[in-house]
Amino acid sequence: MKSRLIILTAAAMLLTTGCSVGNIDISKKETTEATLGQPIEENVNGTISGSDTTDNNGGDSLLLPNVPYSEVPATAELGERFCVVAPVHSGHLYLTINKCELYDSLNDAGMKYDELCQALIVDGFNYDAETTGFLKGYIMIKTYMTVENIDAVSIDHIWQPEKYGEYDFSLGRCGGVPYATGEYFDQVLPPDESLPVRDYFKINLQPGEKKDIIVGYLLDTRKVALEDVAFVNGRDDDSFPDELPFTVVNLGLGGDNK
């Protein structure tokens, strides 16, 4: 699984390396393991042989959910439902990217500045407040998604129970778009200084519940050709073993998507 870790790390570093999305090797590595988080050998207590089964505080290990690899494909198409594992502590959470649209201004996208996360949208730098247009090759990708919780429990609830409920999931852990920043989520209140960026993209999803959502990404088109723009479903997180698989979805932005 080391090759998949290298791929995942490369995807996470795209913003700083300037590497094109189109150059990512997204081929899936064959494995003899039947499921993610399923130990090859177990001792009499049912824990993974040769692994650390406690956290730094002496608590139970944060094991990955038991998810078949076939449900976490290396690639997926628009409209294709696939399983995501980074946001969950246990169970199954599914994501579908239904369609994407491109916009040259906030007005055209149907967004207002005070609704944005404002992670990297700055008046005079990549945005004109008077016209609401984007500058210097920046463009808004309006992404329509469906998130479905079958029986998943949030990993952030395990780490930060005071801020995240059992079924509060971070959309940032579901993935993102290299060379772009997450700026818009249609189901949150406008952010303020007391609300961290990660919490802006928090969604509550009860077991058996499905939600259609809209996420906006501000893309720097000087860094990547539109036909190569992808949603990368994964992250390099030291809290997880290197077995963590992920999915890449080409967003199909090479044509007229307005």
Side-chain angles (χ1 to χ4, degrees), residues 35-102:
T35 58
L36 174 65
Q38 185 91 331
I40 297 177
E41 296 180 14
E42 295 187 353
N43 62 25
V44 292
N45 295 319
T47 55
I48 300 176
S49 176
S51 68
D52 183 7
T53 58
T54 60
D55 59 28
N56 293 332
N57 297 319
D60 293 335
S61 174
L62 301 181
L63 295 179
L64 287 170
N66 185 14
V67 178
Y69 275 108
S70 60
E71 297 186 41
V72 190
T75 61
E77 303 294 329
L78 288 176
E80 183 178 351
R81 175 178 178 263
F82 55 93
C83 192
V84 295
V85 294
V88 307
H89 174 253
S90 62
H92 294 70
L93 188 74
Y94 287 88
L95 180 68
T96 306
I97 302 179
N98 300 301
K99 68 174 182 176
C100 300
E101 298 169 343
L102 297 179

Side-chain angles (χ1 to χ4, degrees), residues 107-223:
N107 281 348
D108 290 344
M111 302 174 186
K112 297 179 180 179
Y113 185 78
D114 61 3
E115 296 175 332
L116 304 180
C117 177
Q118 301 172 22
L120 189 65
I121 181 169
V122 180
D123 185 24
F125 170 64
N126 53 15
Y127 170 71
D128 185 334
E130 184 175 349
T131 65
T132 78
F134 302 116
L135 309 173
K136 299 181 181 179
Y138 284 85
I139 198 167
M140 180 67 71
I141 307 175
K142 194 173 184 179
T143 308
Y144 297 80
M145 306 181 185
T146 300
V147 188
E148 181 181 0
N149 183 10
I150 303 301
D151 55 0
V153 172
S154 168
I155 187 66
D156 284 294
H157 171 67
I158 304 302
W159 292 339
Q160 302 181 81
E162 71 284 357
K163 295 175 63 176
Y164 284 78
E166 275 189 288
Y167 309 116
D168 290 334
F169 299 93
S170 168
L171 290 179
R173 293 192 187 278
C174 286
V177 178
Y179 305 112
T181 57
E183 296 287 353
Y184 176 79
F185 180 37
D186 72 329
Q187 298 191 28
V188 296
L189 295 173
D192 57 41
E193 293 181 358
S194 66
L195 186 62
V197 170
R198 182 172 59 183
D199 290 345
Y200 176 83
F201 292 98
K202 180 169 66 176
I203 184 172
N204 181 272
L205 209 61
Q206 299 293 315
E209 187 176 9
K210 179 191 297 187
K211 288 184 180 179
D212 293 325
I213 63 175
I214 300 174
V215 181
Y217 298 97
L218 187 67
L219 175 72
D220 187 348
T221 62
R222 300 169 301 177
K223 302 293 186 180

Side-chain angles (χ1 to χ4, degrees), residues 1 4 28-36 40 69-70 243:
M1 299 305 299
R4 293 194 60 80
K28 188 170 182 61
K29 185 178 186 296
E30 293 298 325
T31 177
T32 57
E33 294 175 318
T35 58
L36 174 65
I40 297 177
Y69 275 108
S70 60
E243 287 91 354

